Amino acid sequence: MNNISKIAVVIATLLPASVLAQSIKGVVLNNQGKAVANATVDLEGSDQKVTTNDKGEFEISGLNNGLKELHISAPGYAHLHRDITLANDQDHSATFNLKRSPIEVIDVEATPIHMSAMESASPVSVLSGEQLRRQQASTLGDSLEKLPGVNTNFHAKVASTPVIRGLSGPRVLITQNGLDVSDVSRVGPDHSVASEASTAQQIEVLRGPATLFYGSGAIGGVVNVVDSRVPTDSTTRGEWNLEHNSVDEQKVASFNATTGTESFAFYADAFWRESDDYEVPVAADIEDTEHSSKYVVENSNEDSDGFTLGTSYLFEQGYLGVAVEQFNRQYGIPGHTHGEEEEYSEEEAVFADLEQTKVQLLGEYNIDSEWLSKINLRAGHTDYEHAEIEHGAVGTTFKNETNELRVDILHSQFDEWNGGVSFHYKKSDVEAQGSEAFTPPSVTESIAFAIMEEKHFGDFLVQLGGRVERVTIDANNVLLPEIDAHAHDEDGDEHDHDHGHEESNYTRVFDVAQEFTPVSLSTGVVWDFTPGYNLGLSVSRSERAPSASELLSFGPHIGTATYEVGALFDTHDDHFELSEEAIDLETANNIDLTFRKTEGDIGFIFNAFYNQVDNYYYQVNTGLYAESGHDHDHGDEHAHEDEHDHSSELPVYLFKTDDVVLHGFEAQVAWQLTDEFKVDLFSDYVRARLKDGGDLPRTPPLRFGTEFSYQTENLTANIHVTRYQEQDRIAQQETTTDGYTLVDASISYDLSVLNQDVSLYLKGTNLTDTEARVHSSFLKDIAPRPGRSFALGVRGYF
């Protein structure tokens, strides 16, 4: 034995057993005893992650004595947790058996702690892979609307945001790789989301309050678009797609690619989309009786493009990278009128010209020390501009400049607890200038600190968290104009105001500074009460600071055809004054109960929720009308000879607060009949009402449906049927929406061309050409869903 060997033996003898490196070796098999290749094995509470080889084998080395928690996952299988105790300086060998799950289980990247649809206390959904490509649309809300609990506020196919359990707008945060998308889509339904599904890797939906991870703007949920713009490895891979759609002559092209060297990774993506006005089964306007063999929704065309370039430095403990994106979109704004319906002409068409430049800096550093495990860094700068073009000139310009920083510090496993703390800073400078600048320029700044922890107690997983924020809203040019607000009589032909008086141009200007301290708390438990089944319970109390538009708005909002007045003001004898009511935080008390079957040929997820929101900010119709501020010259035949003409007036809606209750359910059942054939059933429902009586507007109706899937090695076919029930629980000034049934289908065939995997596909939507109006849409009466449509495309992977 040489001297070095002798020294090593002496040192090994003197060292405590806890510092001697050991390993866990294992093999992952399925129910038939066959090896599961490319399964992922995570050592929870650390950065160590390995994949199984073709024989299902893996090894994790460099471990110390003590309890180790392994998390094993593979596509098509239920996830497996296994605790292994290392002792006596001996390596450990084990066999792990994965059981089939007909419901795909995909980990969420939006949170610093582990979450998935089958394992977390809070309800989550993930759209990825072929399902994402099959359901992707030109807008985010339309891409996600087939997920349980998620609907769209469909705005004539040119804009849409997700409606989660009846909540949308400022209560549902949309992020990209965990950072705010930073557009103005939460201000109005005619404002498009500045994010693209065709280049995304997966889209995650956190249903219910997600304020612990993202702050008070996520009191209703979070939608996180995940892509690889900042690559975390340098493996060469990519995807491209070409598609043509018949209903609007839409043409789409997109690609994304990753490559690199041992130390540097590079990423690029791009997309292009062009479409005409889309066809509908009936006259778009329900009062349009003019005969036509083909109906279209006028001014619903689109022209979009964008690209992203990213690079990362890869090192042993993690990575650090940056990406730059340019996003451009021009789209028509259907129904953009200033009062009663006007005759459409291309010369008077209004369209939006959207441009956004986004820079993201993402990093991860795995420390693996006695105290700290990992540090995640996310930082972003977004410069957004959205101009609305009227009569060939810019009418209104919206701008949003946002800077954001998130740092998650995860600690090493302590007494079997996993988790950490998070610091979050965001500053948004939003302004609107022009004829429809109904919200004054404002700066919203927030600083937050959060803590999240989880621990397994035998068959129980406990998740805890808390977050405290400081939110400030500053606006030094809040306008209170003296407007002629008046009522109409029952037939709408008379004003009850005096036409003889002169209109006042007096406008008061205020300097507003509001400060809020929202606090959110959450606790949840998942009980694996018997193999293959679990129960989840999540209880949270979340607070939200009102948005600048909810507080400070005062002007015509043509996207909703209303004259909006913020909660900072109130009516007094048909005049508006500063409100004497206190500006309070919106507070949601939410309970989620989940029952799941996680493995076998049949799997299911049943969620029931109850959410009471105090001081809920919403708009009420004051019964008053105000001038839109637009002049209309329609020629002699349309001259305003009638002194009671109201074509340039809009109904006045005032933001106020009230206590509301939202409750409902989501259900999803998957049955793997054979290796090739699967049946999915789903249903969801939300009841949204004022606590003291009355219904909230634009609440999605009960719906249920099924999907039949057939898949072989090369062929995939799907038929999707969804029934939307009639919605007759309506607010004042709303109308009932009839029920309808939509039938969609798709088929694809995979083949190899020039060493590339290529998929040819055909998709059909609304195959029965059904008239379908979306109750949650502001444009349901003039812009129904598209009629029968076929999309032909080709997709390649390398």
Side-chain angles (χ1 to χ4, degrees), residues 47 314-318 366:
D47 65 313
L314 310 175
F315 50 96
E316 186 176 353
Q317 291 83 17
N366 296 291

Side-chain angles (χ1 to χ4, degrees), residues 449-490:
F449 177 82
I451 182 170
M452 295 144 285
E453 296 289 337
E454 68 174 15
K455 179 179 179 178
H456 282 91
F457 294 87
D459 294 330
F460 293 87
L461 169 65
V462 176
Q463 296 178 327
L464 304 172
R467 181 185 178 103
V468 60
E469 292 181 76
R470 178 181 175 272
V471 180
T472 60
I473 301 176
D474 294 296
N476 57 15
N477 193 33
V478 178
L479 304 181
L480 175 55
E482 189 72 25
I483 64 170
D484 178 24
H486 51 270
H488 294 171
D489 65 4
E490 291 184 0

Side-chain angles (χ1 to χ4, degrees), residues 77 122 255 299 365 431 443 460 511 573 643 646 699 788:
Y77 294 93
S122 301
F255 89 93
N299 202 27
Y365 184 73
E431 66 173 290
V443 175
F460 293 87
D511 186 354
D573 295 332
E643 62 174 337
H646 310 312
T699 301
R788 183 185 297 112

Side-chain angles (χ1 to χ4, degrees), residues 385-402:
E385 182 171 320
H386 162 183
E388 294 187 355
I389 314 299
E390 304 181 53
H391 305 287
V394 175
T396 307
T397 300
F398 297 87
K399 296 181 180 180
N400 183 356
E401 183 174 344
T402 299

